[in-house]
Amino acid sequence: MTPPQHKNFHTSNPETSAAIDRSLPEFAAAEVSDEDTFFKNHSPPNYLPEIESEVEEFIKFHLNRDKENAKIVLVTSGGTTVPLENNTVRFIDNFSAGTRGATSAEYFLESGYSVIFLHREFSLLPYSRHFSHSTNCFLDYMIEKDNKIEINPKFSNEMLKVYKKYHKAESENNLLLIPFTTVNQYLYTLKSICEKLQILQKNALFYLAAAVSDFFIPQYRLPQHKIQSSNINHDGELVIRLNQVPKFLSRLVDNWTNTRAYIVSFKLETDEGILIKKSKSALERYHHQLVIGNLLQTRKTEVVFVTKDNEDWVKLNDEEIANNVEIESLMIPQVIKLHDKWIKDI
Ligand code: PAZ
């Protein structure tokens, strides 16, 4: 079966076609029940239908290959932006580089899952992450020989290993890359992909590692053009009002996904005193299967798996840290074990 060719979408350009619509009603401060209001008051990205057909094709391809056993994981990754202008010059962003998502995606692929990778455009990607965003420029991996360019032999073994895995994922059509930039694009695309994955039932896994903004400027209040330095108040301050982004996890669990899907969300905190409490309360509030808690400061070396009955820490030991072991190499087998048990029991 020949894998379909994928298009390249760009999400980081402002959507001038979706200029602000002043006829939209004033959008009230968000509460948990405001998810539907959000979609009513915000237009979908104009490329969404094309992404939907790519996702449909991808799912169809995998169901045709193995209807009973095709397992697909949706990995979300990276941070969402909050534009301050419609023609976006400035935006609010967060720290996430997409390391967790890109690294996890590789371990899922190695374990036989197909991956839909919903990621912030230009954040880290599976496989290329080993050579991008690093302190080495990609040209440092090359050398010139006889007026030709070659891979520096110093790096070629490492590159070959990564290349083989990348090539396998690509040639078997196991990895679908879907980008987003803004929080609006993320939410619309997430909803769509969740709905398309309903057909997989218990074989669908949701691994929601993206760092989604909690606050945004609703479309009806977004200035069309660049904020001018004259837009200040009497005290010389620029005042920006942000609304709360509705908590979409409840909709995702209750409406967007099949009730038999396995859903993993992440909880990031900076205060270790509240990490477990907040992770547990997310689980109780949204009734999904697993919350993975992590602290900003230690997220690369330890995480906590919070389920209905358990709190299990996954930690790298000193030797593993010294050997650059990736914590995702311990996390993903655990997640898969839980998903397998879910598939067997449900
Ligand atoms: O992208 P990254 O590897 O730098 O960070 C990963 C992470 C901390 C964003 C992720 O593990 C996470 O906790 N995501 C959810 C964040 C939240 O909304 O609480």
Side-chain angles (χ1 to χ4, degrees), residues 74-294:
L74 170 66
V75 175
T76 70
S77 183
T80 58
T81 69
V82 172
L84 302 186
E85 299 120 350
N86 196 44
N87 288 283
T88 312
V89 174
R90 303 185 185 93
F91 53 86
I92 301 174
D93 203 351
N94 66 55
F95 72 96
S96 172
T99 313
R100 173 84 75 226
T103 312
S104 302
E106 286 183 22
Y107 290 107
F108 278 121
L109 286 160
E110 270 176 47
S111 307
Y113 278 74
S114 302
V115 175
I116 300 179
F117 190 64
L118 178 59
H119 66 283
R120 161 77 175 276
E121 189 171 8
F122 307 126
S123 67
L124 291 173
L125 293 176
Y127 306 116
S128 70
R129 75 178 170 102
H130 296 271
F131 310 104
S132 65
H133 295 47
S134 70
T135 42
N136 286 352
C137 159
F138 80 95
L139 292 172
D140 292 339
Y141 294 101
M142 316 288 178
I143 48 163
E144 189 191 328
K145 202 170 161 198
D146 304 330
N147 206 28
K148 290 207 173 88
I149 197 139
E150 285 182 3
I151 305 285
N152 185 334
K154 209 165 73 182
F155 300 109
S156 65
N157 278 349
E158 185 198 341
M159 267 193 167
L160 181 65
K161 258 196 261 161
V162 177
Y163 175 81
K164 280 184 174 167
K165 291 181 193 172
Y166 166 74
H167 188 256
K168 182 173 186 314
E170 279 285 298
S171 60
E172 295 179 4
N173 191 30
N174 286 334
L175 175 61
L176 180 64
L177 304 178
I178 305 283
F180 65 80
T181 297
T182 67
V183 66
N184 186 55
Q185 291 170 337
Y186 173 78
L187 292 172
Y188 264 104
T189 316
L190 176 68
K191 178 171 185 283
S192 259
I193 298 175
C194 288
E195 288 168 353
K196 302 272 173 233
L197 280 171
Q198 286 193 10
I199 190 167
L200 265 282
Q201 302 194 22
K202 60 188 181 180
N203 284 348
L205 172 61
F206 294 84
Y207 183 87
L208 309 171
V212 183
S213 171
D214 287 326
F215 302 99
F216 78 123
I217 303 182
Q219 222 158 20
Y220 79 89
R221 275 207 282 106
L222 203 60
Q224 175 72 315
H225 293 292
K226 184 182 166 209
I227 299 172
Q228 297 297 307
S229 48
S230 53
N231 282 19
I232 45 170
N233 68 12
H234 297 309
D235 298 321
E237 301 159 332
L238 174 69
V239 178
I240 295 171
R241 282 168 55 212
L242 299 172
N243 287 35
Q244 216 182 340
V245 173
K247 303 286 181 206
F248 278 91
L249 199 48
S250 64
R251 267 286 173 277
L252 185 146
V253 175
D254 294 342
N255 301 89
W256 302 352
T257 53
N258 188 294
T259 47
R260 302 170 82 205
Y262 194 84
I263 298 167
V264 183
S265 72
F266 277 77
K267 174 58 72 189
L268 174 75
E269 291 299 338
T270 53
D271 173 358
E272 66 177 319
I274 61 170
L275 180 64
I276 302 269
K277 193 168 133 243
K278 295 291 286 275
S279 302
K280 278 188 176 162
S281 72
L283 205 62
E284 281 156 18
R285 190 167 177 192
Y286 304 119
H287 313 291
H288 57 305
Q289 288 71 42
L290 170 65
V291 176
I292 302 181
N294 54 176

